[in-house]
Amino acid sequence: MKHTYPSLATLGREIKTQTNSSAALVEECLKQVLEKNGPMNGFITVCSDEALARAEEIDAAIAQGKDPGSLAGIPIAIKDNISTKGILTTCGSKILENYVPIFDATVVQKLTAAGAIVLGKTNMDEFAMGSSTENSFFGPTRNPLDPEKIPGGSSGGSAAVVGAGMAPVALGSDTGGSIRQPAACCGVVGIKPTYGRVSRYGLVAYGSSLDQIGPITTSVEDAALLLNVICGFDEMDATSSPEPVPDFTATLNKGVEGLRIGLPREYFAQGLDETVRARVMEAVDNLKAAGAQVVDISLPHTEYAVATYYIIATAEASSNLARYDGVKFGFRAKDVSTLKEMYRETRSQGFGAEVKRRIMLGTYVLSAGYYDAYYKKAQQVRTLITEDFTKAFSQCDCIVGPAMPTMPFNIGEKANDPLAMYLSDIYTISLNLAGLPGISVPFAREGDSMPVGVQVFGRAFDEATVLAVAQAMESSANP
Amino acid sequence: MHVWNSLVMNERDRIMGVTRDDVVKIAGLSRLRLEEGEIDTYMRDLNAILRYIEQLNTLDVAAVQPMESVYFSPDRWKADIPVDERRGTDRLLNGPEIDGAFFVVPRVI
């Protein structure tokens, strides 16, 4: 049975006016977790006692007339690759099964400073490498809408716990679609902000030029409220942007009258499931009916995005994951006699198959004699993919398309075919390569068993337009 | 350097993708040990991915600048002030094996 919460704005108002309490809200979440998390496996760690204690502190502060912040008393689930001081942060990996960070990620500092409460840490594909949350050392997460289906990945735990009502909101991370694709699978909203919008300090690195943290929520408005808190310049992240952060809720409800919506023809070509196509086009028709103008556009290098991504992301991963050597933190193999043997055994026993596959691919494409043929070429194609977007945005204000080529597949269906799994990210990956913002919003017709994820892409730092279009679509959907 | 140079293959090998020996070498560079039965699986998977990646060769990118960063803002200098962000001995808390203020590893010399 699906459990839903009022909007963050309503919850916040109720908690601040003491018609509801943070403790009662946290207790409700924990009740849902107790009932659902066993079979669904969305949380790796649940901070029951700490969350309740913090909720009581916030309730007490409010009773004393203090203002604990814009998210006062709101419980939030955090993907397990985001550092939380004193709380296990495993990245879904055996190699970090015992790792307890000594610092909070900047996003966690910002959320707790705004009064939010860390409810727990969510399951994920190991080191965010996957599209189904089947690659976790802690077992797969199941889709809250259908337990036989994948919840998407790699932020499948975050999407599942929000979809199931175990938490009102969550944070995920998106390197090639890992927020938007699971949001699409689980019938929730997921936004990847512009690269540099949200500090990556404390986000365990996978592909550093692609990774970005973002909210997973049940509404576009909640996503905007969370963005207001987590965005902004951070001295601790060299790629953090000094671009001013607007109030993302201010431009909601402004409608789409006169906006030019680009439909990239490559996103509606062969290989797109007919149900997905139909729902996306219905969403577009609704935007048209609301006054938007639809423009036919082309992103001609879309077909090269997955290949480009799997060179760049794995190259960065092979370097980023070199730090897991058993010396300073995490798992260390036993019964080793030399340093080199310790490194090798620790990594061989600590990493899962997909992580090893990507580390090896990354090592290969960066190796002597292959660098130009693979890595440099991928960087050049990345330029072409980015230029596609620049040209497209001269013709339109935002781009709309599917988030996934198919409906969610069954758990185990693509487990032995890595390439088939990679291709499920075909519509999300380009955006990471170009660093742009994108959201997935659920869209369904009455009687559909699962909604379809419709994506909206925007120009760099134009999350406001993305949110406005997404909200117009959301209000015309039937989930 | 010997290991790195031995990875450089001729054009015929490049088209064929990675061999069993290549997989063992790449695993070694990645500090990974593969079980005998895993080598063929990784060889098959890597070759399938590399064959897919070959499609990039159909593009003429000779005149295209490589994109090295997606960062949209101008580079900036950070103030040159030392900051100890992981204060004191806390950093030892996750050490698999420590001795006083040191991480212990197998004997090197």
Side-chain angles (χ1 to χ4, degrees), chain A residues 380-442:
Chain A
Q380 289 168 311
V381 181
R382 191 176 188 180
T383 300
L384 296 176
I385 289 167
T386 304
E387 286 173 356
D388 282 355
F389 281 107
T390 308
K391 283 177 201 150
F393 281 121
S394 68
Q395 297 168 262
C396 61
D397 303 304
C398 70
I399 295 171
V400 172
M404 277 180 81
T406 61
M407 298 302 281
F409 48 86
N410 287 332
I411 289 177
E413 193 178 320
K414 295 187 180 178
N416 295 319
D417 189 348
L419 191 55
M421 184 76 84
Y422 298 173
L423 289 171
S424 65
D425 294 336
I426 181 87
Y427 299 134
T428 49
I429 268 178
S430 301
L431 202 72
N432 299 79
L433 291 166
L436 303 175
I439 195 169
S440 177
V441 187

Side-chain angles (χ1 to χ4, degrees), chain A residues 308-364:
Chain A
T308 304
Y309 173 87
Y310 278 94
I311 295 172
I312 289 173
T314 60
E316 293 182 9
S318 75
S319 168
N320 276 327
L321 273 66
R323 73 192 65 175
Y324 303 103
D325 55 10
V327 175
K328 297 189 283 298
F329 52 83
F331 168 78
R332 178 189 284 193
K334 306 230 173 346
D335 304 322
V336 290
S337 49
T338 67
L339 189 61
K340 197 168 167 185
E341 192 187 359
M342 188 191 84
Y343 294 153
R344 201 172 52 226
E345 286 306 312
T346 294
R347 291 164 63 82
S348 301
Q349 295 171 33
F351 288 138
E354 180 60 27
V355 173
K356 289 179 188 170
R357 196 181 288 125
R358 294 198 196 190
I359 289 175
M360 287 196 284
L361 181 60
T363 303
Y364 179 71

Side-chain angles (χ1 to χ4, degrees), chain A residues 214-393:
Chain A
I216 294 178
T217 61
T218 54
S219 74
V220 174
E221 185 194 81
D222 284 359
L225 274 166
L226 278 187
L227 281 179
N228 277 354
V229 174
I230 64 170
C231 289
F233 175 72
D234 179 18
E235 191 65 48
M236 301 301 285
D237 172 4
T239 59
S240 166
S241 171
E243 190 76 16
V245 180
D247 174 0
F248 292 111
T249 62
T251 42
L252 293 177
N253 302 309
K254 75 170 188 180
V256 293
E257 181 82 47
L259 272 184
R260 295 168 303 163
I261 311 277
L263 286 193
R265 64 186 78 113
E266 293 80 6
Y267 282 50
F268 296 87
Q270 206 181 359
L272 177 63
D273 177 275
E274 281 310 315
T275 307
V276 178
R277 179 197 306 270
R279 293 298 171 271
V280 174
M281 289 317 294
E282 285 167 38
V284 170
D285 287 343
N286 290 350
L287 291 175
K288 224 191 289 187
Q293 185 193 336
V294 175
V295 186
D296 177 43
I297 58 160
S298 176
L299 298 169
H301 296 96
T302 300
E303 65 179 294
Y304 303 103
V306 173
T308 304
Y309 173 87
Y310 278 94
I311 295 172
I312 289 173
T314 60
E316 293 182 9
S318 75
S319 168
N320 276 327
L321 273 66
R323 73 192 65 175
Y324 303 103
D325 55 10
V327 175
K328 297 189 283 298
F329 52 83
F331 168 78
R332 178 189 284 193
K334 306 230 173 346
D335 304 322
V336 290
S337 49
T338 67
L339 189 61
K340 197 168 167 185
E341 192 187 359
M342 188 191 84
Y343 294 153
R344 201 172 52 226
E345 286 306 312
T346 294
R347 291 164 63 82
S348 301
Q349 295 171 33
F351 288 138
E354 180 60 27
V355 173
K356 289 179 188 170
R357 196 181 288 125
R358 294 198 196 190
I359 289 175
M360 287 196 284
L361 181 60
T363 303
Y364 179 71
V365 299
L366 287 176
S367 59
Y370 289 99
Y371 182 90
D372 281 0
Y374 289 112
Y375 189 69
K376 187 178 170 199
K377 180 162 281 173
Q379 286 181 307
Q380 289 168 311
V381 181
R382 191 176 188 180
T383 300
L384 296 176
I385 289 167
T386 304
E387 286 173 356
D388 282 355
F389 281 107
T390 308
K391 283 177 201 150
F393 281 121

